[in-house]
Amino acid sequence: MSNIAISLLDIEDDASQCLVAEDYQTRVGKWCAGCGDFGALNAIKRLLAKEQLQPEKMAFVSGIGCSSRFPHYVNAYGFHGIHGRALTIATGLKLTRPELDVFVVMGDGDCTSIGAGHWIHATRYNPNLTVLLLDNNIYGLTKNQTSPTTPQGYASNTTPRGSFLPALNPLQATLGVSNASFVAQTADWVPAHLYATLQAAYEHPGFSFVRILQRCPKFTSDVFAEQIKDPDLTELLVHENGVDAPGLDKLFKARREHDPKDIDAARALAQRTDKLRLGMFFRNDSFPVYDEIRAVPPVTVEDKIARLNKEFDRYAV
Amino acid sequence: MNRTANSGATITAVPEHTVEIITNSGEGAQKCAQIFGQTCAKMGNGVWTVEIIPAEIEPPAHTVTSTSGNIIRFGTNKITNWGDQSKLAIAFNEQVCLSRHRLDSFEDGCIILHESMWETHEDENIRAAYAEAMQEMSGKNYRFIPVPIEEETLKIVDNAQHGKNMFALGLLTEIYQRDLALIEKQIAHIFKHKSAKVTEVNIELVKHGIAWARENLGFQFDIASVPAEESRVVMNGNQAAALGAIAAGMEFCAMYPITPATSVSHELAAIFENYGGMVHQAEDEIAAAGVALGASYGGKVALTVTSGPGLALKTEFLALAIMTEIPLVVLDVQRGGPSTGLPTKVEQSDLLAALYAQPGDAPKVVIAPRSIEECFHSMVTARRIAETFRCVVLVLTDANLASGVQQFTRPEFDARWQQNPIDFSPLTDGLRPYDWDTETGLSRRVIPGTPGGQHTVTGLAHDEESRVSYDPESNERGCKMRSRKLAVFQSTLMPPPVYGDEEGDLLVVGWGSTQGAIEEAVDRARNEGKKVSTCQLTFLSPLEPGLKEIFSHFKKVMTVEINYSDTVGDPYITEETRRYGQLAWLLRAHTLVNIDCWTSCPGQPLRPNDIYNSLVAKLETGASK
Ligand SMILES: Cc1ncc(C[n+]2csc(CCOP(=O)(O)OP(=O)(O)O)c2C)c(N)n1
Ligand SMILES: [Mg+2]
């Protein structure tokens, strides 16, 4: 794997806090050794501890895939749903229980293929969800089939002579959707950046879409190998309103000032293929949030019955 | 029973009549019929109205495909279905008339008041089409009465398109001696958002229609009414279902538009927020099911509303709801199928899909309301069952109930229907989210927010702790527990009542919306001394208890359904190859009784007369069971 040592920038757990990162894990993740999903789980655990979230006040919703096993390992409510549909369940949950913190975990097949319709629409609804796309460029669970994000020419069991088409770029697609409010990219092998990105995503009021480039040691161990070996192939997007973490400047020399408010620049950067870019592409906290604009004040049973009676007067004969 | 009115008209007393108002789409037949039907209901008549809907929004006018309108059957007693043929029609052109004639909708001697101007229209093609249509209809003994509908309307308004319907209403008002004051009140209500002038003009048009009829027709009908003692409401089945959902305390509906289900969401969207509820229009039916499931997971009992093609898309989510034991109510307003089929028309062909469309064993409750009143109450029942048994309840109505209008006893709302029985008390001594009672399969529903209750629900096979487990015992136990709940629920049901004697030569079994038409056919046969009874099922899964016992008292048992079945004797069709109607299929499997079926899928509700003929044929021929 990685030749360079990327130090884990462990944030010291405050002794006065009652829950530590380990309290947020229920059981050991059953992923392959070296799977990038572990990194995402670690970052989430740290985030939950940092925020001191109450386990019963949050829910993790996923689809089907290796990555969608995620909720089983988190000490929270979890909904391990069906392939591609996590966002729909999460939207329904958030609409009725806006006080819960709702996280969504999807794989690349899950989100960008079978669930692509929901991905577009959930982006537009902009419910207050923290969304993790664990993108290993392959169908992992079903053993090595081409996904929309598989690089062109890359061989898999379904395209043994190489994938036919240019890969779908989830950042570009998301940034193209009206009302998209938060789009970031990070990588499982840069834990400090991953953690900082998830932190920002959690804080964002709206649909925070985080594409996490994720290593699959079984089927796509080579797709990110170059970038992992040579940090100079990666450019960090930085800005006072972006994501950064101590120590990252030492790892990545290429840093680009990018104002996450600038949608045109974000789209242009998302489109470029010269380098791998990590950072906050776009963020706007003032877009309409679906669960906020649809919030309905509760009505007492007495009022409901009185109103129903009035309604029925209209139909009375 | 004829009398003479002051005007000199002959008044004929009849127990009931069926009237059609048929127009081009967009000529206001609906409004005319709505006011007329409401007035009949208010006057104490039994009423059933049916919409005639063209498949397209704006089909070419003045053609046989443009027919839009309403059928109103009303009478002295309760009316439970649309009946047989019409006795009187008002037609705005001869083409719409022809389309109804081709469907055999008019009885012999039917009075047809039709627009007179087409016969002498300046356009030669129109005159020719008129002549041709009249020629085609000449074989029947209809009583055509030309009426200068447009000409008379233009005496009151400048644009006849927005007025002919009210002139027609005036004709009906006079012919059936309707209460003008009631009609005026309804016109005022319908146009309450428009200027007072609009109401005034519309009333003037009605009065003009009355005057014209008095002057020119010379006949009237008298349909006595018995004023109701209880208070009643009149609405269509989709309105009843929407209001039922609210009365049931449901607060969330996710849907994707599909005829004929959509209007349920229209009704809800208009008022749901006054009841703490919301309608979410999702990007597709799959999403609608997912969002509804997510809402239920959060503690509600959510509703998703659809029709056949949408139900097909929702199947994977229904299985997930069943597997995770999250309550969900699905309303399927059936239309004709397969595929896009007959989008605006009635059929009862989603039954087996409702029961079995999910891969794997996916037990759920399926209810079919038999009347518009039951469309209301079944929503209350559905929510309660879904919640108590942590299961999916699928309510099967159809296009006949959806747009049929009937009056029924005004429901009294019960505060208990609204209860939100979610228990947030902390789970202390060991969480088991599927803490199945091994007898009943029931377990406490633990929803997010419950301290100590954290767990991950999953569509994968799981154990009591909701842990993924592939071992044979866990899977068998899960299947058993989910299925057991249905048996427990069934133990709370009563055997269905038999209409007619409890033994005889033939038992007709129906389900859902066909009740009224079947009972009417059975009444007719019984009046002739035939030993026929009927039994209308509401619960299709689990089936109501005691069916085999009920069937055992009849020599023959036959289902009547609005769906397809093969006819023995057709090419290649033998007793062995024959495919049965869906209820027959189900009942044969369930009871091992040799149940026959008579089915038909004409894209319209069954007619009592056709059912009558089928049961007479069954009595005369065919082996006993
Ligand atoms: C409706 C449906 N179709 C197909 C599958 C099979 N399936 C399960 S996971 C998966 C793809 C997983 O790939 P991805 O979403 O990228 O997740 P990963 O395993 O790589 O984390 C597929 C096709 C399924 N479970 N359900
Ligand atoms: Mg993948």
Side-chain angles (χ1 to χ4, degrees), chain A residues 84-85 87 111-123, chain B residues 283-284 287:
Chain A
R85 321 288 175 201
L87 287 169
C111 173
T112 73
S113 192
I114 191 168
H118 309 312
W119 164 38
I120 302 296
H121 290 282
T123 302
Chain B
E283 58 269 25
D284 57 40

Side-chain angles (χ1 to χ4, degrees), chain A residues 64-67 83 107-110 114 136 138-142, chain B residues 316:
Chain A
I64 294 290
C66 296
S67 41
H83 194 32
D108 45 314
D110 213 33
I114 191 168
N136 55 6
I138 200 77
Y139 286 10
L141 186 70
T142 45
Chain B
E316 198 191 0

Side-chain angles (χ1 to χ4, degrees), chain A residues 55-74:
Chain A
E56 73 269 20
K57 294 278 169 58
M58 51 183 181
F60 281 75
V61 183
S62 66
I64 294 290
C66 296
S67 41
S68 286
R69 282 297 184 108
F70 203 98
H72 288 280
Y73 311 131
V74 185

